[in-house]
Amino acid sequence: MLLKYKVLSSLQMPVTVGPYGQTQPSCFDRVKMGFMMGFAVGMAAGAMFGTFSCLRIGMRGRELMGGVGKTMMQSGGTFGTFMAIGMGIRC
């Protein structure tokens, strides 16, 4: 009986616990974090590319801000989606 218990207990995977009792983030938390990181990077890239492209075609003032904002949101959403998918695959 004791031998059977030792064999079964040695086959179970240990739960990873940090030094202060915290556990690993869940898969959903990882996907959320991937989306937020991708969104931030995409917004930064969208600000640079959007500003350049809008200034190149001659936008000024309110029209420029709207064009840059639209480009930032589009690139942030696109890159965030792909980062979230990548983090979901890693789970």
Side-chain angles (χ1 to χ4, degrees):
M1 180 70 179
L2 185 58
L3 180 64
K4 183 179 178 184
Y5 177 72
K6 285 185 179 182
V7 170
L8 287 177
S9 64
S10 67
L11 295 176
Q12 295 175 352
M13 294 291 292
V15 176
T16 306
V17 177
Y20 301 108
Q22 71 269 24
T23 59
Q24 295 283 336
S26 68
C27 188
F28 182 69
D29 289 336
R30 290 180 190 210
V31 170
K32 276 195 311 187
M33 183 60 70
F35 181 78
M36 288 190 294
M37 286 190 304
F39 195 82
V41 170
M43 290 271 288
M48 290 188 295
F49 294 128
T51 302
F52 177 73
S53 66
C54 287
L55 287 174
R56 190 178 58 149
I57 62 173
M59 290 184 177
R60 295 287 185 260
R62 185 182 301 259
E63 189 181 27
L64 175 69
M65 289 295 116
V68 171
K70 181 180 175 183
T71 305
M72 287 173 67
M73 293 300 287
Q74 284 177 342
S75 62
T78 301
F79 200 72
T81 301
F82 284 113
M83 282 288 287
I85 291 169
M87 292 300 283
I89 290 172
R90 289 186 63 196
C91 285

